[in-house]
Structures are given as C-alpha cells and as structure tokens.
Amino acid sequence: MALPLLPGYSFSRNVGKKRFHKSQHWGFCNNVSLLVGESKPGIGGEPLPGQKMKHKHSVFTKEVGSDAPSWVAFDKQVLSFDAYVEDTVRDVSRENYGPRYYKILFYLEDDTIQVNEPEVRNSGMPQGTFIRRHRISLPPPEDAQFYTVHHFNVNIDIVFYGRTFKIYDCDAFTKNFLKKIGVKLNPPGQCPADPSMKLWRKKLDGVKRLHPQESPDALRQFLQYDRKVLRFFCLWDDSASLFGDRRELVLHYFLSDDTIEIKELLPQNSGRDAMPFFLQRRKLPKYGPPGLHQPGEVTNQIILNLCGGLGVKQVHGYMLDKYKLGKPEQEFYKDSDLSLGTTINVWGRKVVLCDCDEFTKTYYKNKYGIEDFRPISFKAPPPPKVERKFPPYTGFGSEEDSLCSCIGLVPKPCPHLRNVGKLMENDRYGNTSGILRFLAKLITKQCASEGRLFIISYFLSDDTISVFEPIGRNSVSSFRKFLKRMRVEKPGQEVFKSELSEYIKAEELYIGAKVNVNGHLFLVFGADEYTLKFMEENSDKFPLSNLELVLEKLKEKISKSGDVRQVFRAADSGLTKKMDCSTFRDIVMTIGAGELTEQEFVTIARHYRVPDDPCPHVNVLLAMAHEQLKKNSFENFERLICSSVYQDREKKKVLPSKDIKRLCKSFRVPLSNDLLESLLSEFKNSEEQINYESFFCALNWRINIMPTQIAKSPLKERDVVSIGMPSPISMKYIDYLRFLKDIYGLEEE
C-alpha cells in the first residue's frame, strides 16, 4: 500500500536541488519556427523518460587526449577505408554482378564522411565523388544520430542512404588510430574480383604477341637529346631555272628523333610570301621523292593476322613480322650524313650546307672528332648600284623644289637638303651672332659706282649671303639693300642641269679676295673682330688665318737673316722696339715677294701687335654711364643708397659687388651689363667689397658733373660700329722683335 502524498509521508526528490530551469525546445531559423531542442533535457537538466543523453566528454582519457578542440587536435587527419558495393548487371549473359570499389574518408575534426570512387579508364560509368563531404545520419530507426568513429571497423557492412558498403581493409594510419582509441580490429576481408575484367584479360591474353618485335630505344634518345638541335646555314641555288634565284635556308636537325626542319631566310623587299616553313619537321629520305604509296603501306610495324582451328576452341590473334617482308626500303638522313660542304637532297632540291653554329661545331668535335669547320661563302654578291639620274632643272621654282618633285609624287620640302645640326650649332646664341661680316668695295668701270662701299654678311647657319650699302648719318635709313638674304651661286655654272648648283662658301671670303655676287665683282678689304677671331679659331677651314702656315711661307722666302735685321733696325730709328703697322706691312709684303695675301698679313699683325690699354679710364666709364643715365632721366640715387644702408647689417658702409649689381637690376638702372661690370671692377677693393655711398655718388650725374669732351671720346672710337659696319682693325704698332725671333730665331742685340 502506497503512502499518501501528504507532508511528512513522502520523500522529496528536490531536497538539495538548486537547478530548476526549463530547456528551450523551440526557436527560429530563417524566420521559420522550428523544433530545435529534441535532444535537450527536461527541468533542471534531468533527462526525460526514455531519452538517451549524448556524451559530453571525449572518449579519450585525459592522459591520451588533449585539451585542444577537435578541429585543432585532429586537423588534416583522415581515416581511409577500402570498400566495395556489389551492383546487379543487366543484359549481360556471362556475369550476374559487378563490384564497384570505393574509398570511404572519415574526417576526425568534424565527423564528416566522404565517399569517392576511383576512376577506371574506359569503364563507361560516371565515377569520382560518390557522396560529398558532410555528416551522415545512421539508418532508421536511429536516424536522429550521426556516424562517429566508433561505428567503423574492418570487415563490416555499413549503410549510407540505403546503400550497403562492405569495408574490407584500411590503411596503416587508420589501423593505428583505431587501436589507440580501444577499437578491436577485425581481420581484413577479401576483395572480390570483377568478372568483366577477367573476361577482358582473357581476351587480351588470347591476342598477345607471339613474336614481339624489338622496338628501338627511342625513349633513351629522347631523354638524352631533348631540346638539342643542330643548326646549319644552307643555300639552294635555283638560278638555272626560269625566274629562279639563290635561296638562303636554315636547317634544324633534332637529335631527339632524327627529324629535320628547314626555314627560309627572306631578304627585305624580296617579293616572296613569308611562309613559316620551307620543309615541315619530319624525317628526310636520302633518295626522294620515293614515289607514291598506298595508305598503310609505309608503317613502322608489319602485323600478320592469325586464325587457326575450326572447332569450338578457335585461335584468334596476330603477330608482328620481325623480318619486315614487303616493307619498302627507305634510308633517312642522320647526323653523320651532315657536314659542311655536303649537298643533301631535299625532295629533289640540291641544298648545300655552308655554315653552322657553335653548338653544332662542338657536337661534331666531341662525337666525330671533326676539326675543320671552314665556312663556304653563300651570300649572293650585292647587285650593282645603279646611279639614279634626275632630269635637268626646269627653271620653275628653286632647284631643290624641282628635285623633290622627281623624288616623290606629293610635293614637299626635302628634309635631307637642310642640315638641322648645322643650323642649331651656328644660329645666333647670346653674344655669338653666327654672322661673318666683311667690308668690300665694288669693282666697276662706271665712274658713278666707283668707290662704293658694301657690307657682305655671311650667315653660317644656312650659308646665305646678304649685301647692304651703308649710307651717311643724315639719311633716312642707315643701310640700303643691295642683295637680300639668299644663297649665291658660283659663276660659270650651267643653268639647266641635273646636279645641284655650287654656292659660295665661307672659306672663299677673306681679306683681299674678289667675290662675284650675281655678276657684280667685289673686293674684300676688311672684316670685323668676330669674323677674324672665328677664322683664327677654325684655322683648319681657313688656312689663310693659320699663323703657323703663314710663318712657314715666310721662312722659305729669305735665306739671309742678317739683311732682314738691318731692314727692321733702319725702320726703327728711335729704337722703340716697335714699328708702325703700315711700315711693317711694306717690309713684310716685300719679303713675301707678292705671294702673301692681305688676310695672311692681318693674321701676322694681329698676333704681334702691341696691345692698347686694357680698359678705358674710370672717368671715361663714368662719362659713358652719365650719358646713358641722362637719356633715361634716372635720378633714384638716394633710394639706392637707402636700400644699401638697409642691406648693410653690420654698418661697415660696404657691400659685396654682387649685392650692388642686384640692387642696380632691381631699380632698373639703365646701364648695359658690360659697362656695369667695368664700373664695379673699378670701385671694388681686394675683398670684393664696394663702398656703396661713393659708387652711387659717382653715378649721380646731377652732383658729379663730368667734362663734355671726355663724355664724347668713346663715341668717336665707335663711329663705324654704330651704323653696323665692321670695325676697323686696331693695330697701331707691331712688336717686330718678337716677330723676328719666332720666324728667324734672331735675338735682340
């Protein structure tokens, strides 16, 4: 009889219990309410009636296992089992089933399973991944649980989705792992053979070669000579045939399989189509073309069919003919047949091997001991160069334009007739004008034109000439154009000719030369300083300005040096050791016996002249500066002094010359660079410092008034230069003693 459920009559099961929570069995997945807690316990974590709880801890003991999670401890560790499935085979009379072999992979990190079927060639069935990797549930009625490592063993049956897999073996790692976790392994089972494979092997054994032919050792040759190619340079001379010519070829011999490939080297503008190959890669017969053969007649092997017996056990098969009866005889080129100077037959074309590369020479030297590799000349001689003749000048336009109309159909300027490098080199740049100016007079019999002076300007950038006639100061313009800038042809040339005309060059212009400019004859008697200096610097082009050549000419004229000394001593009556330029000219011209030109005398006089004062007096410089400042009404001298005081931080009343120059530029003082530099050099001390008060007070033309005659003196010397004419050569006196010492070796007594 049970006790009533009254206080004091029953035992409370909740005595000492502290957990009374209720597990949540319902939840949401993708906004859909689902039962998510089928395996969760009841109130307080106690299992419900009939509920089996899963193990919360690992089956490993603490000594064997580790504290790391499974996805770390068992990372990249997979159990591999060999299994097979017996499938029923239909519509086959000789077999009832066919086993299919699988690999079952169990991933320890997450208890997932994957089943793969190894691919068998020509099986006719789809193979590969049979079951993708995921967790597989147990068969019903335990389909709520999943397969674990304890469900696997050797020589058992396992069911995946209704398909029974028979595990008959596993690998060594799997056996070792199962033993460690306490699983008792069954002995491995037997894997049944495939009946269909037995039948195929039986058929293959029936057709097995009875007398196999020994195949050549092609693999060894391939592995030894792969990517090794012999290269020969060849020549096929087809000039004897109609429209034939010499063809240059390159022959490649592949040592890996004894094949030959030929390419053609086409020169530029040959007119032939660029074909990839002259001969595709293949074995080249020595005696070709051999003729036509039926398909299958030329093969590597000859097969003999066998058929024996009329009873139940008939023999079907084949064998190879090791004697090769009936096979056409063909001999192919080998590496031993190729050498320099050899003529080979390329399908009826005679090709001569003329040269080879370094690898080919090394190969034949090491294998065959050949030392002579003298090449044969196979390059065709260059065709004769046909001189292109142009029609004569038509008279329309310039000669260059007429020539360009013969070169191309579209009229355009000839770029090759203009020397761009010469134009960039000799064009005006800075103080370099690139213009040679000569002073000349017109030679004519007309009284009205006799004595007219002209300025001939030669432009080095494009070899053009312009001629102007200077006019007096009171005229409207300083020059009158006589000839515009153009190239001047030399006289005596034919007008209508095929060749281009010759023009006057810079080497033909010098002092004393007669120049014919379009029928007008000019006598050159002067040049400016830039022209003379340019001719002396380029004495290789202007031999008359070469001092050494001029002195050598004078040495050949006089043999008695004592007479020359007496002549110069008589001319220098005051014993000043210098001589007037005109007197020196008369003596030198007399010594030259009429063979010394005016340009050569100017070269001597410029070298031995007595220099003038290196720079004008400071008063002359100040007079020139005052004149420029007066013309521009510049009077900001007090502001310049104030700025200089501000720049003078140390209060020494001096500033560097570069600072004074910078102040003059910033206040726009109207003085040229040369004049400003000359004035600064006169006022600076040994430390390159300038007293700015004294400098700007000297420039103040209001306070420091210079005499009028001093201010006008520089203009007298620049009389001719102001109108653009070549300046007169400043040679007043000549140091004749230095001249005698250099040319005759005479010392002063």
Short mmCIF file of all heavy atoms in Angstrom, two decimals, residues 563-580 582-587 736:
data_model
loop_
_atom_site.label_atom_id
_atom_site.label_comp_id
_atom_site.label_asym_id
_atom_site.label_seq_id
_atom_site.Cartn_x
_atom_site.Cartn_y
_atom_site.Cartn_z
N ASP A 563 120.31 90.46 -93.31
CA ASP A 563 119.75 91.56 -94.09
C ASP A 563 118.40 91.98 -93.54
O ASP A 563 118.06 93.17 -93.52
CB ASP A 563 119.64 91.15 -95.55
CG ASP A 563 121.01 90.82 -96.15
OD1 ASP A 563 122.03 91.31 -95.60
OD2 ASP A 563 121.03 90.08 -97.13
N VAL A 564 117.60 91.03 -93.11
CA VAL A 564 116.27 91.33 -92.57
C VAL A 564 116.40 92.15 -91.30
O VAL A 564 115.66 93.11 -91.07
CB VAL A 564 115.48 90.03 -92.33
CG1 VAL A 564 114.15 90.33 -91.68
CG2 VAL A 564 115.30 89.27 -93.63
N ARG A 565 117.35 91.81 -90.48
CA ARG A 565 117.55 92.56 -89.23
C ARG A 565 117.95 94.01 -89.52
O ARG A 565 117.46 94.93 -88.85
CB ARG A 565 118.63 91.88 -88.40
CG ARG A 565 118.82 92.51 -87.03
CD ARG A 565 120.03 91.94 -86.33
NE ARG A 565 119.98 90.48 -86.28
CZ ARG A 565 121.00 89.73 -85.85
NH1 ARG A 565 122.15 90.31 -85.48
NH2 ARG A 565 120.89 88.42 -85.82
N GLN A 566 118.78 94.20 -90.53
CA GLN A 566 119.18 95.56 -90.87
C GLN A 566 118.01 96.38 -91.38
O GLN A 566 117.88 97.57 -91.09
CB GLN A 566 120.29 95.51 -91.93
CG GLN A 566 121.59 94.88 -91.46
CD GLN A 566 122.27 95.69 -90.38
OE1 GLN A 566 122.09 96.92 -90.30
NE2 GLN A 566 123.04 95.02 -89.53
N VAL A 567 117.10 95.73 -92.12
CA VAL A 567 115.94 96.44 -92.65
C VAL A 567 115.04 96.90 -91.52
O VAL A 567 114.57 98.06 -91.49
CB VAL A 567 115.18 95.54 -93.64
CG1 VAL A 567 113.86 96.20 -94.05
CG2 VAL A 567 116.03 95.26 -94.87
N PHE A 568 114.73 96.03 -90.58
CA PHE A 568 113.85 96.41 -89.47
C PHE A 568 114.52 97.43 -88.55
O PHE A 568 113.86 98.32 -88.01
CB PHE A 568 113.46 95.15 -88.67
CG PHE A 568 112.36 94.35 -89.30
CD1 PHE A 568 112.65 93.24 -90.08
CD2 PHE A 568 111.05 94.72 -89.13
CE1 PHE A 568 111.64 92.51 -90.66
CE2 PHE A 568 110.02 93.98 -89.70
CZ PHE A 568 110.32 92.88 -90.47
N ARG A 569 115.87 97.33 -88.36
CA ARG A 569 116.56 98.29 -87.49
C ARG A 569 116.57 99.67 -88.14
O ARG A 569 116.44 100.70 -87.45
CB ARG A 569 117.98 97.82 -87.23
CG ARG A 569 118.77 98.74 -86.30
CD ARG A 569 120.14 98.21 -86.04
NE ARG A 569 120.10 96.90 -85.41
CZ ARG A 569 121.18 96.15 -85.16
NH1 ARG A 569 122.38 96.57 -85.51
NH2 ARG A 569 121.05 94.97 -84.57
N ALA A 570 116.71 99.72 -89.45
CA ALA A 570 116.69 101.02 -90.13
C ALA A 570 115.31 101.66 -90.06
O ALA A 570 115.18 102.90 -89.98
CB ALA A 570 117.11 100.84 -91.59
N ALA A 571 114.25 100.83 -90.06
CA ALA A 571 112.91 101.40 -89.96
C ALA A 571 112.63 101.92 -88.56
O ALA A 571 111.86 102.89 -88.39
CB ALA A 571 111.88 100.34 -90.34
N ASP A 572 113.23 101.32 -87.52
CA ASP A 572 113.04 101.77 -86.14
C ASP A 572 114.21 102.67 -85.76
O ASP A 572 115.15 102.27 -85.07
CB ASP A 572 112.95 100.55 -85.21
CG ASP A 572 112.63 100.94 -83.77
OD1 ASP A 572 112.21 102.09 -83.55
OD2 ASP A 572 112.80 100.06 -82.88
N SER A 573 114.14 103.89 -86.22
CA SER A 573 115.24 104.82 -85.96
C SER A 573 115.29 105.24 -84.49
O SER A 573 116.36 105.53 -83.96
CB SER A 573 115.10 106.06 -86.85
OG SER A 573 113.85 106.70 -86.60
N GLY A 574 114.16 105.26 -83.79
CA GLY A 574 114.14 105.68 -82.40
C GLY A 574 114.42 104.56 -81.42
O GLY A 574 114.38 104.78 -80.20
N LEU A 575 114.67 103.33 -81.91
CA LEU A 575 114.94 102.16 -81.07
C LEU A 575 113.83 101.96 -80.02
O LEU A 575 114.05 101.71 -78.84
CB LEU A 575 116.29 102.30 -80.36
CG LEU A 575 117.52 102.44 -81.26
CD1 LEU A 575 118.78 102.61 -80.42
CD2 LEU A 575 117.65 101.26 -82.18
N THR A 576 112.57 102.05 -80.49
CA THR A 576 111.41 101.86 -79.61
C THR A 576 110.98 100.40 -79.52
O THR A 576 110.04 100.07 -78.78
CB THR A 576 110.23 102.69 -80.11
OG1 THR A 576 109.91 102.31 -81.45
CG2 THR A 576 110.55 104.18 -80.06
N LYS A 577 111.62 99.52 -80.28
CA LYS A 577 111.31 98.08 -80.32
C LYS A 577 109.90 97.81 -80.83
O LYS A 577 109.36 96.73 -80.65
CB LYS A 577 111.48 97.43 -78.94
CG LYS A 577 112.89 97.53 -78.39
CD LYS A 577 112.98 96.83 -77.05
CE LYS A 577 114.39 96.96 -76.47
NZ LYS A 577 114.52 96.28 -75.14
N LYS A 578 109.31 98.80 -81.45
CA LYS A 578 108.02 98.62 -82.10
C LYS A 578 107.99 99.45 -83.37
O LYS A 578 108.76 100.41 -83.52
CB LYS A 578 106.87 98.97 -81.17
CG LYS A 578 106.90 100.40 -80.65
CD LYS A 578 105.77 100.63 -79.67
CE LYS A 578 105.80 102.07 -79.13
NZ LYS A 578 104.71 102.31 -78.16
N MET A 579 107.06 99.10 -84.24
CA MET A 579 107.04 99.70 -85.58
C MET A 579 105.62 99.99 -85.97
O MET A 579 104.68 99.30 -85.56
CB MET A 579 107.69 98.72 -86.57
CG MET A 579 107.85 99.26 -87.98
SD MET A 579 108.63 98.03 -89.04
CE MET A 579 110.21 97.86 -88.22
N ASP A 580 105.47 101.03 -86.75
CA ASP A 580 104.15 101.39 -87.25
C ASP A 580 103.61 100.27 -88.13
O ASP A 580 104.37 99.59 -88.84
CB ASP A 580 104.23 102.70 -88.02
CG ASP A 580 102.86 103.14 -88.46
OD1 ASP A 580 102.05 103.54 -87.59
OD2 ASP A 580 102.59 103.06 -89.67
N SER A 582 101.76 100.29 -90.88
CA SER A 582 101.92 100.47 -92.33
C SER A 582 103.35 100.19 -92.76
O SER A 582 103.58 99.56 -93.81
CB SER A 582 101.51 101.88 -92.73
OG SER A 582 102.31 102.84 -92.03
N THR A 583 104.35 100.64 -91.97
CA THR A 583 105.74 100.36 -92.30
C THR A 583 106.02 98.86 -92.22
O THR A 583 106.71 98.30 -93.08
CB THR A 583 106.66 101.12 -91.34
OG1 THR A 583 106.32 102.50 -91.35
CG2 THR A 583 108.11 100.94 -91.72
N PHE A 584 105.49 98.21 -91.19
CA PHE A 584 105.67 96.77 -91.05
C PHE A 584 105.05 96.02 -92.22
O PHE A 584 105.59 95.03 -92.70
CB PHE A 584 105.07 96.32 -89.72
CG PHE A 584 105.21 94.86 -89.45
CD1 PHE A 584 106.42 94.33 -89.02
CD2 PHE A 584 104.14 93.99 -89.63
CE1 PHE A 584 106.55 92.97 -88.78
CE2 PHE A 584 104.27 92.64 -89.40
CZ PHE A 584 105.48 92.13 -88.96
N ARG A 585 103.91 96.53 -92.70
CA ARG A 585 103.25 95.87 -93.84
C ARG A 585 104.11 95.96 -95.09
O ARG A 585 104.23 94.98 -95.84
CB ARG A 585 101.89 96.51 -94.08
CG ARG A 585 101.13 95.93 -95.27
CD ARG A 585 99.88 96.71 -95.57
NE ARG A 585 99.20 96.16 -96.73
CZ ARG A 585 99.56 96.41 -98.00
NH1 ARG A 585 100.59 97.22 -98.23
NH2 ARG A 585 98.89 95.85 -99.00
N ASP A 586 104.70 97.11 -95.33
CA ASP A 586 105.52 97.26 -96.54
C ASP A 586 106.71 96.31 -96.50
O ASP A 586 107.06 95.69 -97.52
CB ASP A 586 106.00 98.71 -96.65
CG ASP A 586 104.83 99.68 -96.85
OD1 ASP A 586 103.77 99.21 -97.32
OD2 ASP A 586 104.98 100.88 -96.53
N ILE A 587 107.34 96.18 -95.33
CA ILE A 587 108.50 95.30 -95.25
C ILE A 587 108.10 93.85 -95.44
O ILE A 587 108.74 93.09 -96.17
CB ILE A 587 109.21 95.51 -93.90
CG1 ILE A 587 109.74 96.94 -93.78
CG2 ILE A 587 110.35 94.51 -93.73
CD1 ILE A 587 110.33 97.26 -92.43
N TYR A 736 108.09 94.03 -83.64
CA TYR A 736 108.83 93.32 -84.69
C TYR A 736 109.93 92.43 -84.13
O TYR A 736 110.35 91.47 -84.79
CB TYR A 736 109.39 94.32 -85.70
CG TYR A 736 110.50 95.19 -85.15
CD1 TYR A 736 111.84 94.81 -85.24
CD2 TYR A 736 110.22 96.42 -84.56
CE1 TYR A 736 112.85 95.60 -84.73
CE2 TYR A 736 111.21 97.22 -84.06
CZ TYR A 736 112.54 96.80 -84.15
OH TYR A 736 113.54 97.60 -83.64
#
